[in-house]
């Protein structure tokens, strides 16, 4: 499993008493009985621990852990910047 998956599982374990047998990549947050308040706490922990912002509507009950990992990894990779530094003439 990826480091991101392990980090997500660690966050869930700290914030929610999920049965370890049920925690697997294809399990959804709803299957793990993660409520909306815990989802907000997970978002806050991701921001604090990984430095990424996850909007409230991005973490949903029907999202699987694997899908959440892909979302997190995409945010960690960040958008590719094509802007160049503008130096004024002078």
């Amino acid at each position: 499993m990826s480091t991101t998956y392990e980090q997500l599982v660690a966050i869930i374990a700290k914030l929610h008493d999920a049965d370890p047998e049920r925690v697997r990549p294809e399990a959804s947050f709803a299957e793990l009985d993660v409520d909306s308040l815990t989802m907000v706490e997970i978002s806050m922990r991701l921001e604090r621990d990984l430095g990424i912002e996850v909007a409230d509507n991005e973490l949903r009950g029907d999202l699987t852990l694997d899908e959440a990992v892909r979302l997190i990894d995409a945010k960690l990779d960040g958008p590719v910047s094509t802007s160049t530094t503008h130096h004024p003439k002078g």
Side-chain angles (χ1 to χ4, degrees), residues 3-53:
T3 302
T4 304
Y5 177 80
E6 292 166 1
Q7 290 174 309
L8 179 60
V9 169
I11 290 169
I12 292 169
K14 282 184 180 180
L15 298 175
H16 182 65
D17 188 26
D19 179 358
E21 293 290 318
R22 294 173 56 200
V23 178
R24 57 194 193 291
E26 64 275 4
S28 69
F29 287 106
E31 288 177 55
L32 298 174
D33 298 321
V34 175
D35 62 23
S36 59
L37 179 58
T38 304
M39 296 287 262
V40 171
E41 292 173 346
I42 290 169
S43 292
M44 291 170 50
R45 189 68 62 106
L46 289 169
E47 184 173 354
R48 189 190 78 195
D49 293 355
L50 303 178
I52 60 167
E53 287 188 38

Side-chain angles (χ1 to χ4, degrees), residues 14 25 28 32 50 57-58 69 80 87-88:
K14 282 184 180 180
S28 69
L32 298 174
L50 303 178
N57 64 344
E58 290 180 297
V69 166
V80 177
H87 297 283

